Amino acid sequence: MSTHKITVKINGGLEQVEVPSNMSLLSMLREKLALTGVKNGCAAGECGACTIMMNGEPVNSCMVLAVEADGAELVTVEGLTTEGKLDAIQEALIDKNAVQCGFCTPGILISANALLTRNPNPSETEIREALVGNLCRCTGYIRIIEAVKAAVEMHKEEA
Amino acid sequence: MNNAHPGLPEFDYIKPATLAEASQFLVQHENESRPFMGGTDIIVRMRDGFWKDKYLVEVKHLEGMTSIHFDPVKGLTIGAATSMNNVAAHPDIQRYYPLLAEAANSVASYQLRNRATVVGNICNASPAGDTTGASMVLGGVLSVHGAGGLRTEPLTTFFLGPGKTVLKPGDIVTAITFPIPPKGWAGKYIKLGRNALSDLSIVGVTVLGYPDAATKSGYRFHIVLASVAPVPFVAAAAEAVLAEKTISDDVLDAAAAAAMDGCKPIDDVRSSARYRKLMVRNLTRKALDEVWTKIK
Ligand SMILES: Cc1cc2nc3c(=O)[nH]c(=O)nc-3n(C[C@@H](O)[C@@H](O)[C@H](O)COP(=O)(O)OP(=O)(O)OC[C@H]3O[C@@H](n4cnc5c(N)ncnc54)[C@H](O)[C@@H]3O)c2cc1C
Ligand code: FES
Ligand code: FES
């Protein structure tokens, strides 16, 4: 089986990695780059725990081959903090007690961030639609939705 | 990865420089290679051991594969590798082909739709494919690059069975094109899943209707049903009722009943056949009502 030398921009830095054809981007991030904030919940595109940003859009990293990421710009949950400072959605999830086991949280953070980037003032329906692909087995979602709403308000106050 | 799901089996990822090279490779490796697009069907099928290809042939980067072009005379051309999100968000598609945007938005989740493509959905030929119905009622035609050069394939004769199409080894769909929709048209897609958002359909009903002087009723309807037959099912008997008889509530009822009687769904994990049939009647009736209210 062939391997490929690829270069990715990840959380601001550059990485060169050698990956076999059949390695998922999820496996590469966790096993080659130790970015274990990216979670493997199903490896089937269903749960969203592996969601990362790829070239400015959220994708299920289990549904992407690592080799496809050659030249791409990636952001994982590890890349959301700036100089140790949490972003608005991270703060809001803590404030609203929207984290229990935390397994879904990195994916929720990426999806919610992507939503607020493309639509800074989403309705509750739009928030729910944007998070359809992020399953949470603990919280029952209400607090997560409330947290995203709170982050929207925080952004408005900052602006 | 040693969890409940095994990792992907071994294969080689091939990235040809041209369409000609890609088609040639696919012909040379018949039965052990396939075009690789969003991978949302391929990765699942390979990992679960249903597909055992030795080569996945990247085609997303090839010429014209991600462009969208609208021409007020010729209609719409969507490059095959355009993601469902890019289809759903395109201003010309929202304006002139909203039914297609609606269908694309009904698939899975936002993240998945950044990878999944409409053309991949069609080529995968699942009777549950959510974008197939809209593509069919809007008159979609595929542009195909094969070993013998370029040709077109209309969707009306494209599907042969579950996962089976008229595509041959070496064939790569490069785009899907749609004519300008008929004047005064309206359309509706109703998807019934086990939950409100994101599940595969138990039943999917696509209806398109428009005024047409050539029919007795003065209107023509196209109806395609998902998940009720081995291929996307054209409800021809229901379409005939609506073309022949002056449209009234009774005639809409009769057409919905004809759609139910015409389809032969199966029992599976998502639903019983009986429930599917009843839902075909009710949802066809509902979709017809919405479309009729808009076009009458
Ligand atoms: C979690 C999950 C949820 C889903 N939910 C839905 C849903 O709600 N509704 C729905 O309709 N679908 C659903 N799907 C399936 C849907 O994502 C796919 O059908 C998708 O649209 C296929 O497009 P792709 O680009 O990913 O194709 P790929 O997986 O890359 O390819 C699919 C097949 O088509 C062939 N093919 C692809 N492109 C071409 C081409 N250009 N020329 C020739 N052959 C080609 C491939 O060789 C392969 O055999 C879901 C999938 C997952 C993983
Ligand atoms: S691990 Fe990728 S969606 Fe579940
Ligand atoms: S907090 Fe446990 S899965 Fe969401």
Side-chain angles (χ1 to χ4, degrees):
Chain A
M1 188 174 45
S2 55
T3 60
H4 312 261
K5 276 211 176 80
I6 67 166
T7 308
V8 291
K9 198 171 171 196
I10 177 139
N11 298 333
L14 269 186
E15 294 280 357
Q16 281 198 331
V17 204
E18 191 164 336
V19 294
S21 285
N22 70 346
M23 177 171 261
S24 71
L25 185 54
L26 167 66
S27 300
M28 179 189 102
L29 293 169
R30 289 183 56 84
E31 292 159 28
K32 297 254 177 191
L33 299 176
L35 290 166
T36 50
V38 189
K39 299 298 178 199
N40 178 3
C42 68
E46 304 271 359
C47 75
C50 67
T51 306
I52 64 158
M53 295 299 275
M54 182 169 175
N55 297 327
E57 283 287 348
V59 296
N60 305 92
S61 61
C62 69
M63 290 279 108
V64 180
L65 299 178
V67 48
E68 288 183 85
D70 192 16
E73 190 167 343
L74 311 176
V75 180
T76 67
V77 71
E78 288 87 347
L80 292 181
T81 45
T82 22
E83 290 166 6
K85 193 175 173 296
L86 301 182
D87 79 356
I89 305 175
Q90 289 174 315
E91 292 287 1
L93 282 172
I94 297 169
D95 283 354
K96 297 284 174 190
N97 264 322
V99 178
Q100 288 186 25
C101 80
F103 197 81
C104 68
T105 311
I108 302 262
L109 283 166
I110 296 287
S111 285
N113 256 291
L115 169 67
L116 299 198
T117 305
R118 66 181 183 270
N119 176 3
N121 197 12
S123 66
E124 177 163 337
T125 309
E126 286 168 334
I127 296 173
R128 286 179 181 272
E129 278 171 2
L131 296 180
V132 148
N134 293 89
L135 303 184
C136 174
R137 298 291 79 186
C138 305
T139 65
Y141 301 104
I142 308 279
R143 285 163 189 265
I144 294 172
I145 310 284
E146 279 177 4
V148 179
K149 283 192 199 160
V152 171
E153 294 308 316
M154 278 155 79
H155 278 300
K156 275 193 208 156
E157 279 163 27
E158 279 167 25
Chain B
M1 221 172 300
N2 50 357
N3 56 18
H5 292 300
L8 283 164
E10 291 198 0
F11 58 81
D12 279 330
Y13 172 87
I14 309 287
K15 196 168 180 179
T18 61
L19 274 169
E21 212 181 284
S23 286
Q24 198 188 1
F25 187 94
L26 288 162
V27 170
Q28 280 165 357
H29 297 274
E30 186 180 340
N31 297 327
E32 52 176 20
S33 65
R34 65 177 74 231
F36 183 75
M37 292 244 287
T40 61
D41 284 313
I42 293 178
I43 289 180
V44 173
R45 303 297 283 175
M46 299 265 302
R47 201 215 42 211
D48 290 349
F50 292 109
W51 291 351
K52 300 181 161 55
D53 299 87
K54 277 197 197 147
Y55 306 96
L56 294 182
V57 181
E58 181 63 89
V59 294
K60 294 191 283 291
H61 64 295
L62 296 172
E63 206 188 315
M65 291 290 278
T66 50
S67 60
I68 299 184
H69 181 71
F70 177 71
D71 178 301
V73 179
K74 288 190 198 139
L76 177 70
T77 305
I78 304 175
T82 312
S83 73
M84 289 192 182
N85 277 345
N86 284 346
V87 167
H90 195 275
D92 288 329
I93 297 179
Q94 288 182 349
R95 179 150 175 217
Y96 300 109
Y97 303 84
L99 182 63
L100 188 62
E102 196 186 326
N105 267 334
S106 77
V107 172
S109 62
Y110 187 85
Q111 301 91 303
L112 201 89
R113 294 195 297 272
N114 274 332
R115 296 281 300 168
T117 63
V118 170
V119 166
N121 200 223
I122 291 169
C123 290
N124 195 54
S126 155
D130 277 312
T131 62
T132 309
S135 299
M136 287 175 79
V137 299
L138 287 165
V141 175
L142 301 175
S143 306
V144 183
H145 183 280
L150 283 167
R151 67 176 198 280
T152 55
E153 291 286 354
L155 289 183
T156 41
T157 49
F158 184 70
F159 300 101
L160 302 179
K164 290 205 174 66
T165 71
V166 301
L167 292 182
K168 296 191 177 60
D171 282 351
I172 298 163
V173 177
T174 57
I176 182 165
T177 59
F178 296 96
I180 298 291
K183 271 213 166 59
W185 76 282
K188 180 72 193 168
Y189 180 52
I190 301 182
K191 172 180 179 177
L192 176 69
R194 287 166 298 185
N195 54 28
L197 296 158
S198 94
D199 192 27
L200 282 177
S201 71
I202 289 169
V203 164
V205 179
T206 311
V207 170
L208 179 143
Y210 56 97
D212 181 359
T215 66
K216 276 195 200 150
S217 71
Y219 294 89
R220 190 175 294 282
F221 285 81
H222 295 298
I223 305 172
V224 176
L225 307 175
S227 299
V228 299
V231 294
F233 181 80
V234 178
E239 292 177 354
V241 171
L242 295 160
E244 298 288 318
K245 299 197 179 141
T246 306
I247 296 185
S248 64
D249 276 354
D250 286 348
V251 170
L252 295 181
D253 284 344
M260 172 175 76
D261 293 341
C263 68
K264 293 190 181 61
I266 56 165
D267 293 312
D268 69 9
V269 287
R270 296 202 297 283
S271 158
S272 67
R274 180 167 174 273
Y275 181 68
R276 281 200 162 96
K277 270 191 163 262
L278 293 172
M279 288 304 108
V280 163
R281 185 190 62 200
N282 295 1
L283 298 179
T284 303
R285 182 67 177 84
K286 198 171 160 191
L288 283 173
D289 210 50
E290 277 196 39
V291 170
W292 175 237
T293 315
K294 286 186 188 153
I295 64 172
K296 69 180 173 191

